[in-house]
Amino acid sequence: MLCCIDDITIYHKRYDEKTRMESYHPTVLHECSWFVKQQSSVTENGMQVEDKYVVRIPLKNAPNELIFTKGDYVLKGEVLIENATVKDLLKYTDNVFLIKSFSVNDKGSPYTQHIRISGS
């Protein structure tokens, strides 16, 4: 894959039954592809503009214990926040998105195999 030069941090949500609170735990990945574009649409409330994010993680760079799901957050760069909350993560307004979908593309040559994460 081309342009795999970015570091990302995936914050996976966990629920602690003892404290009854949710917390987010980081996993840093290197040599990924980060892409963002603006998408606009016309609704009954007028024109809406939204950033759409796509991250591609080459399978060779993904650890076997990589855990994430819809509803987790992705930040651009190596951003480690202890006991992170959603409010803490959203401070990185231009470099954070909520995972809405993902797929594992493991067909083809090892060069093209990757995990695709997208969201807004």
Side-chain angles (χ1 to χ4, degrees), residues 27 30 39 56 69 76 81 89 99:
T27 301
H30 303 284
Q39 186 171 346
R56 287 185 172 85
T69 188
K76 186 175 186 180
I81 304 169
L89 300 176
I99 297 175

Side-chain angles (χ1 to χ4, degrees), residues 1 6 14 28 41 75-76 92 100 103 112 120:
M1 287 179 29
D6 297 304
R14 293 186 187 151
V28 176
S41 59
L75 278 75
K76 186 175 186 180
Y92 297 87
K100 293 187 178 178
S103 61
T112 61
S120 56

Side-chain angles (χ1 to χ4, degrees), residues 62-77:
N64 291 337
E65 65 277 358
L66 179 62
I67 299 172
F68 64 89
T69 188
K70 293 178 186 177
D72 290 347
Y73 286 89
V74 180
L75 278 75
K76 186 175 186 180

Side-chain angles (χ1 to χ4, degrees), residues 17-31:
E17 292 185 17
K18 292 179 184 176
T19 63
R20 297 184 184 176
M21 296 189 69
E22 294 176 342
S23 60
Y24 288 82
H25 300 274
T27 301
V28 176
L29 300 170
H30 303 284
E31 297 179 3

Side-chain angles (χ1 to χ4, degrees), residues 35-105:
F35 178 75
V36 61
K37 70 176 180 175
Q38 282 191 338
Q39 186 171 346
S40 61
S41 59
V42 179
T43 66
E44 28 183 77
N45 297 329
M47 180 172 272
Q48 302 292 320
V49 178
E50 184 176 44
D51 289 337
K52 296 289 185 177
Y53 296 85
V54 176
V55 167
R56 287 185 172 85
I57 306 164
L59 280 183
K60 65 179 182 157
N61 297 348
N64 291 337
E65 65 277 358
L66 179 62
I67 299 172
F68 64 89
T69 188
K70 293 178 186 177
D72 290 347
Y73 286 89
V74 180
L75 278 75
K76 186 175 186 180
E78 188 171 333
V79 182
L80 299 174
I81 304 169
E82 194 171 319
N83 298 320
T85 64
V86 173
K87 186 176 179 180
D88 295 330
L89 300 176
L90 293 179
K91 288 179 184 176
Y92 297 87
T93 54
D94 293 335
N95 294 316
V96 62
F97 70 91
L98 179 69
I99 297 175
K100 293 187 178 178
S101 67
F102 60 89
S103 61
V104 177
N105 301 311

